[in-house]
Amino acid sequence: MLRGTGNRTGNGGANANTTVARSGAKGIALSLLAVGTAALAGYVLSSNRSKNSTARSKANLGARIIDPDEVPANATIVDASSRQLDEIPGARRAINRAIRRRAREEWEHVTLERDGAWSVVDTIRSSLPYHEGTEHEYNGVYVHYDDRFIVLDAIGWAHLQEPLQ
């Protein structure tokens, strides 16, 4: 009877089996090491990318001046001196920039780049009387500043609600 897979002599069969077992174990170990290393590298790269994308995010807060007749009848108007505006990072800067630059045609915006910048969108909608505009109205918070009306909103974010891959 033959013992082992590679040795046909009766006296070396045990050594042949051991050699085959060792080389097979080495091959499996090397394969597992390669797969494990690749998996670990993939995890590290993915982990670093997700940390960077969630840790630093961007949001634009925009403001523009509108005519008094553009203020919807059912919109709640916030006075510019309201402390509620202080709860929104960049709100006063955006309003002041719109006033200073007489922004009627374009939105004057402030870009927030920091941890949790996207939460500004939720803060605007939850802490102030946010107006969901109809077809010919602006979405946003209507602010009365001296003798002018300003619309304040997070701008340029609708198409980026899902994280980029």
Side-chain angles (χ1 to χ4, degrees):
M1 180 173 193
L2 297 175
R3 292 173 32 198
T5 57
N7 189 343
R8 293 180 189 237
T9 61
N11 62 359
N15 289 338
N17 283 340
T18 304
T19 303
V20 169
R22 282 185 190 154
S23 66
K26 282 183 184 177
I28 290 173
L30 287 175
S31 294
L32 288 174
L33 180 63
V35 169
T37 302
L40 180 62
Y43 173 77
V44 167
L45 289 173
S46 173
S47 174
N48 285 341
R49 183 175 53 227
S50 66
K51 282 180 187 174
N52 290 339
S53 65
T54 57
R56 301 293 291 178
S57 56
K58 288 184 181 182
N60 287 323
L61 189 62
R64 70 184 299 170
I65 300 169
I66 59 169
D67 292 327
D69 62 339
E70 292 180 280
V71 177
N74 61 344
T76 302
I77 300 168
V78 175
D79 190 76
S81 64
S82 172
R83 289 184 182 225
Q84 288 178 303
L85 291 171
D86 294 332
E87 295 175 19
I88 301 170
R92 292 208 186 274
R93 280 188 299 152
I95 291 168
N96 290 334
R97 192 173 286 174
I99 294 295
R100 189 173 56 251
R101 296 184 181 165
R102 296 182 181 96
R104 289 185 179 276
E105 300 299 319
E106 297 290 326
W107 291 88
E108 287 297 326
H109 70 278
V110 173
T111 300
L112 304 172
E113 186 173 0
R114 61 179 203 182
D115 295 352
W118 286 104
S119 66
V120 171
V121 174
D122 295 329
T123 304
I124 287 175
R125 292 175 180 249
S126 65
S127 68
L128 292 168
Y130 189 87
H131 179 76
E132 292 285 345
T134 61
E135 190 176 312
H136 302 289
E137 299 172 341
Y138 290 109
N139 290 336
V141 177
Y142 287 80
V143 179
H144 185 243
Y145 186 99
D146 292 335
D147 60 343
R148 290 168 268 202
F149 291 95
I150 293 115
V151 179
L152 178 70
D153 198 5
I155 58 173
W157 63 272
H159 63 286
L160 295 175
Q161 288 180 358
E162 294 297 319
L164 298 174
Q165 298 296 327

